[in-house]
Short mmCIF file of all heavy atoms in Angstrom, two decimals:
data_model
loop_
_atom_site.label_atom_id
_atom_site.label_comp_id
_atom_site.label_asym_id
_atom_site.label_seq_id
_atom_site.Cartn_x
_atom_site.Cartn_y
_atom_site.Cartn_z
N MET E 804 -20.77 10.51 -19.62
CA MET E 804 -21.43 10.30 -18.32
C MET E 804 -21.39 8.84 -17.90
O MET E 804 -21.65 7.94 -18.69
CB MET E 804 -22.89 10.78 -18.40
CG MET E 804 -23.66 10.54 -17.07
SD MET E 804 -25.36 11.13 -17.14
CE MET E 804 -25.07 12.91 -17.05
N ARG E 805 -21.04 8.65 -16.60
CA ARG E 805 -21.03 7.31 -16.00
C ARG E 805 -21.83 7.35 -14.71
O ARG E 805 -21.68 8.27 -13.88
CB ARG E 805 -19.58 6.90 -15.70
CG ARG E 805 -19.45 5.47 -15.16
CD ARG E 805 -18.03 5.18 -14.77
NE ARG E 805 -17.64 5.83 -13.55
CZ ARG E 805 -16.45 6.39 -13.33
NH1 ARG E 805 -15.53 6.38 -14.30
NH2 ARG E 805 -16.17 6.97 -12.18
N LEU E 806 -22.66 6.33 -14.51
CA LEU E 806 -23.47 6.23 -13.30
C LEU E 806 -23.05 4.99 -12.52
O LEU E 806 -22.80 3.94 -13.09
CB LEU E 806 -24.97 6.12 -13.65
CG LEU E 806 -25.58 7.29 -14.41
CD1 LEU E 806 -27.04 7.00 -14.72
CD2 LEU E 806 -25.45 8.60 -13.62
N ASN E 807 -22.98 5.13 -11.20
CA ASN E 807 -22.65 4.01 -10.31
C ASN E 807 -23.80 3.78 -9.33
O ASN E 807 -24.34 4.73 -8.76
CB ASN E 807 -21.37 4.30 -9.51
CG ASN E 807 -20.12 4.22 -10.34
OD1 ASN E 807 -19.88 5.09 -11.17
ND2 ASN E 807 -19.31 3.21 -10.11
N LEU E 808 -24.12 2.51 -9.12
CA LEU E 808 -25.06 2.14 -8.07
C LEU E 808 -24.52 0.89 -7.38
O LEU E 808 -24.15 -0.08 -8.04
CB LEU E 808 -26.45 1.83 -8.66
CG LEU E 808 -27.47 1.21 -7.68
CD1 LEU E 808 -27.78 2.19 -6.56
CD2 LEU E 808 -28.75 0.81 -8.41
N ALA E 809 -24.43 0.95 -6.07
CA ALA E 809 -23.92 -0.19 -5.32
C ALA E 809 -24.80 -0.44 -4.09
O ALA E 809 -25.36 0.50 -3.52
CB ALA E 809 -22.47 0.06 -4.88
N ILE E 810 -24.89 -1.71 -3.72
CA ILE E 810 -25.53 -2.09 -2.45
C ILE E 810 -24.51 -2.96 -1.71
O ILE E 810 -24.26 -4.10 -2.10
CB ILE E 810 -26.84 -2.86 -2.67
CG1 ILE E 810 -27.79 -2.04 -3.55
CG2 ILE E 810 -27.49 -3.18 -1.34
CD1 ILE E 810 -29.06 -2.79 -3.90
N GLU E 811 -23.94 -2.41 -0.66
CA GLU E 811 -22.93 -3.12 0.11
C GLU E 811 -23.52 -3.73 1.37
O GLU E 811 -24.46 -3.17 1.96
CB GLU E 811 -21.77 -2.18 0.45
CG GLU E 811 -21.06 -1.62 -0.78
CD GLU E 811 -19.93 -0.67 -0.45
OE1 GLU E 811 -20.10 0.13 0.48
OE2 GLU E 811 -18.92 -0.71 -1.16
N ASN E 812 -22.95 -4.85 1.80
CA ASN E 812 -23.45 -5.59 2.96
C ASN E 812 -24.95 -5.77 2.84
O ASN E 812 -25.74 -5.30 3.67
CB ASN E 812 -23.08 -4.83 4.26
CG ASN E 812 -23.21 -5.72 5.49
OD1 ASN E 812 -23.66 -6.87 5.39
ND2 ASN E 812 -22.82 -5.19 6.62
N LEU E 813 -25.31 -6.49 1.79
CA LEU E 813 -26.71 -6.63 1.40
C LEU E 813 -27.61 -7.13 2.53
O LEU E 813 -28.76 -6.72 2.68
CB LEU E 813 -26.81 -7.58 0.21
CG LEU E 813 -28.18 -7.82 -0.38
CD1 LEU E 813 -28.76 -6.54 -0.95
CD2 LEU E 813 -28.10 -8.90 -1.47
N PHE E 814 -27.08 -8.03 3.37
CA PHE E 814 -27.91 -8.62 4.45
C PHE E 814 -27.70 -7.93 5.81
O PHE E 814 -28.09 -8.45 6.82
CB PHE E 814 -27.61 -10.11 4.56
CG PHE E 814 -27.93 -10.87 3.29
CD1 PHE E 814 -26.94 -11.42 2.50
CD2 PHE E 814 -29.26 -10.97 2.86
CE1 PHE E 814 -27.23 -12.11 1.34
CE2 PHE E 814 -29.56 -11.66 1.69
CZ PHE E 814 -28.55 -12.22 0.92
N ASP E 815 -27.08 -6.74 5.79
CA ASP E 815 -26.96 -5.90 6.97
C ASP E 815 -26.32 -6.67 8.14
O ASP E 815 -26.74 -6.60 9.28
CB ASP E 815 -28.34 -5.38 7.38
CG ASP E 815 -28.25 -4.16 8.28
OD1 ASP E 815 -27.27 -3.41 8.16
OD2 ASP E 815 -29.17 -3.95 9.09
N VAL E 816 -25.26 -7.42 7.81
CA VAL E 816 -24.57 -8.25 8.82
C VAL E 816 -23.73 -7.36 9.72
O VAL E 816 -23.04 -6.43 9.25
CB VAL E 816 -23.69 -9.29 8.13
CG1 VAL E 816 -22.89 -10.10 9.15
CG2 VAL E 816 -24.56 -10.21 7.27
N HIS E 817 -23.77 -7.61 11.01
CA HIS E 817 -22.87 -6.90 11.93
C HIS E 817 -21.56 -7.69 12.05
O HIS E 817 -21.57 -8.88 12.35
CB HIS E 817 -23.47 -6.74 13.33
CG HIS E 817 -22.54 -6.05 14.27
ND1 HIS E 817 -21.59 -6.71 15.02
CD2 HIS E 817 -22.36 -4.72 14.55
CE1 HIS E 817 -20.89 -5.84 15.72
NE2 HIS E 817 -21.33 -4.63 15.45
N TYR E 818 -20.46 -7.02 11.79
CA TYR E 818 -19.15 -7.66 11.99
C TYR E 818 -18.12 -6.55 12.26
O TYR E 818 -18.27 -5.39 11.87
CB TYR E 818 -18.74 -8.48 10.77
CG TYR E 818 -18.52 -7.71 9.50
CD1 TYR E 818 -17.26 -7.24 9.13
CD2 TYR E 818 -19.57 -7.46 8.62
CE1 TYR E 818 -17.06 -6.56 7.96
CE2 TYR E 818 -19.37 -6.78 7.44
CZ TYR E 818 -18.12 -6.33 7.11
OH TYR E 818 -17.91 -5.64 5.94
N ARG E 819 -17.09 -6.98 12.97
CA ARG E 819 -15.97 -6.08 13.27
C ARG E 819 -14.70 -6.79 12.89
O ARG E 819 -14.35 -7.82 13.49
CB ARG E 819 -15.95 -5.71 14.75
CG ARG E 819 -14.80 -4.80 15.14
CD ARG E 819 -14.93 -4.27 16.56
NE ARG E 819 -16.05 -3.33 16.69
CZ ARG E 819 -16.27 -2.61 17.78
NH1 ARG E 819 -15.49 -2.72 18.84
NH2 ARG E 819 -17.29 -1.76 17.82
N PRO E 820 -14.00 -6.30 11.85
CA PRO E 820 -12.77 -7.00 11.41
C PRO E 820 -11.75 -7.10 12.52
O PRO E 820 -11.72 -6.28 13.48
CB PRO E 820 -12.26 -6.09 10.28
CG PRO E 820 -13.49 -5.38 9.77
CD PRO E 820 -14.35 -5.17 11.00
N PHE E 821 -10.93 -8.11 12.45
CA PHE E 821 -9.88 -8.39 13.45
C PHE E 821 -9.11 -7.13 13.81
O PHE E 821 -8.70 -6.35 12.94
CB PHE E 821 -8.95 -9.47 12.89
CG PHE E 821 -7.62 -9.53 13.59
CD1 PHE E 821 -7.53 -9.97 14.91
CD2 PHE E 821 -6.45 -9.15 12.95
CE1 PHE E 821 -6.32 -10.03 15.56
CE2 PHE E 821 -5.23 -9.22 13.58
CZ PHE E 821 -5.16 -9.65 14.88
N ALA E 822 -8.91 -6.94 15.13
CA ALA E 822 -8.10 -5.85 15.71
C ALA E 822 -8.69 -4.47 15.53
O ALA E 822 -8.09 -3.48 15.93
CB ALA E 822 -6.67 -5.88 15.15
N SER E 823 -9.90 -4.40 14.95
CA SER E 823 -10.50 -3.09 14.71
C SER E 823 -11.27 -2.59 15.92
O SER E 823 -11.77 -3.36 16.74
CB SER E 823 -11.44 -3.17 13.50
OG SER E 823 -10.72 -3.44 12.31
N GLY E 824 -11.40 -1.26 15.98
CA GLY E 824 -12.11 -0.63 17.06
C GLY E 824 -13.45 -0.07 16.66
O GLY E 824 -14.14 0.54 17.48
N VAL E 825 -13.83 -0.27 15.41
CA VAL E 825 -15.11 0.21 14.91
C VAL E 825 -15.73 -0.89 14.08
O VAL E 825 -15.01 -1.61 13.34
CB VAL E 825 -14.92 1.50 14.09
CG1 VAL E 825 -14.05 1.28 12.87
CG2 VAL E 825 -16.26 2.11 13.68
N SER E 826 -17.03 -1.07 14.17
CA SER E 826 -17.70 -2.08 13.37
C SER E 826 -17.86 -1.61 11.94
O SER E 826 -17.94 -0.41 11.66
CB SER E 826 -19.07 -2.41 13.97
OG SER E 826 -18.95 -2.94 15.28
N ALA E 827 -17.92 -2.56 11.02
CA ALA E 827 -18.03 -2.23 9.61
C ALA E 827 -19.42 -1.68 9.28
O ALA E 827 -20.36 -1.84 10.05
CB ALA E 827 -17.76 -3.47 8.75
N ALA E 828 -19.52 -1.03 8.14
CA ALA E 828 -20.78 -0.44 7.70
C ALA E 828 -21.83 -1.53 7.53
O ALA E 828 -21.55 -2.63 7.04
CB ALA E 828 -20.60 0.33 6.41
#
Side-chain angles (χ1 to χ4, degrees):
M804 178 179 286
R805 184 185 74 219
L806 300 177
N807 288 71
L808 172 63
I810 304 176
E811 298 179 321
N812 197 355
L813 182 64
F814 299 111
D815 200 28
V816 176
H817 179 272
Y818 64 93
R819 179 171 291 188
F821 161 69
S823 294
V825 62
S826 298

